Amino acid sequence: MRILIVGPSGAGKGTQAALLSAELGVAHISTGDLFRAHVDRRSELGRQVKQYLDAGALVPDEVTNVMVAQRLTDDVCRAGFLLDGFPRTVGQAEVLENLLRERDCGIDTVLEFDVPEDQVMARLLARGRGDDTEDVIRHRQQLYRQETAPLLDFYADRLVTVPAGGSVPDVTARALHALRTRA
Ligand code: AMP
């Protein structure tokens, strides 16, 4: 199973991606986690991307796409995966389509986590990540509307919208139900 999770900051994508990937037995690939791991271990890539993460800006495609291409190993089609945080733009989605087509597969389902913007600010401020100040959150929200929301049209034929308000187990159950009734 090859799944994407799309949704605004604070929709619970990371939490749900970890739970869903464990339940489905596929790898959880989060570009945000990969970038943060580089920043934490002060690698060359980490030094390049830190300013973007701190500002809530998109890391340039030439860095992001290469990192993702390296992470998508040759057996990735067979093994399956749940991608969280990538693609974030239609350009990145086109790159992903090509990477998978070269390996003879594609994305099966795109899960959209739908949550009203005004409900996520408190949740994010409580999370307390370094890039979770009010200004940076607003910038990420604006980028989501401008750059990422067009993905919902791009993937319209594979899109499943999951209402993402409520408790963590409720949202997981809704997402699993959506995936299973679609399969
Ligand atoms: P996330 O953990 O998904 O909230 O991502 C945290 C930060 O990592 C974002 O605010 C961006 O700076 C960067 N990032 C993650 N994924 C991408 C991507 N697909 N393209 C560009 N930047 C990204």
Side-chain angles (χ1 to χ4, degrees):
M1 223 177 203
R2 295 170 299 270
I3 305 165
L4 301 184
I5 293 198
V6 179
S9 210
K13 295 189 299 295
T15 304
Q16 293 298 336
L19 294 167
L20 292 169
S21 57
E23 182 69 31
L24 300 167
V26 297
H28 171 202
I29 305 175
S30 155
T31 43
D33 285 352
L34 292 171
F35 284 136
R36 280 185 290 276
H38 275 285
V39 171
D40 287 348
R41 65 174 183 268
R42 298 187 167 78
S43 72
E44 177 55 34
L45 192 144
R47 274 193 287 272
Q48 282 175 34
V49 303
K50 186 175 186 310
Q51 53 176 315
Y52 298 99
L53 269 74
D54 287 347
L58 292 180
V59 173
D61 277 352
E62 56 269 28
V63 178
T64 306
N65 293 341
V66 170
M67 185 180 74
V68 170
Q70 283 170 352
R71 180 63 185 77
L72 295 184
T73 44
D74 289 342
D75 70 340
V76 78
C77 284
R78 188 186 47 76
F81 56 83
L82 199 157
L83 253 178
D84 151 24
F86 184 94
R88 258 178 161 83
T89 65
V90 170
Q92 291 182 355
E94 284 165 349
V95 169
L96 179 64
E97 292 283 292
N98 288 332
L99 283 171
L100 294 178
R101 199 176 302 125
E102 284 166 11
R103 294 169 170 79
D104 288 326
C105 71
I107 296 296
D108 300 310
T109 306
V110 177
L111 283 179
E112 178 202 3
F113 278 34
D114 183 30
V115 66
E117 230 174 51
D118 56 351
Q119 283 180 25
V120 300
M121 186 62 79
R123 214 194 257 191
L124 284 170
L125 291 173
R127 182 168 74 173
R129 219 166 71 185
D131 59 346
D132 282 340
T133 62
E134 198 159 335
D135 283 353
V136 173
I137 292 167
R138 293 217 187 281
H139 185 54
R140 290 206 306 266
Q141 288 178 331
Q142 188 194 349
L143 272 180
Y144 180 80
R145 286 193 298 269
Q146 286 173 356
E147 302 286 346
T148 308
L151 288 180
L152 305 176
D153 281 336
F154 184 88
Y155 288 117
D157 57 339
R158 286 161 278 180
L159 189 71
V160 176
T161 300
V162 177
S167 74
V168 169
D170 280 354
V171 178
T172 311
R174 261 178 240 147
L176 284 173
H177 179 74
L179 287 169
R180 287 180 176 142
T181 48
R182 216 189 114 77

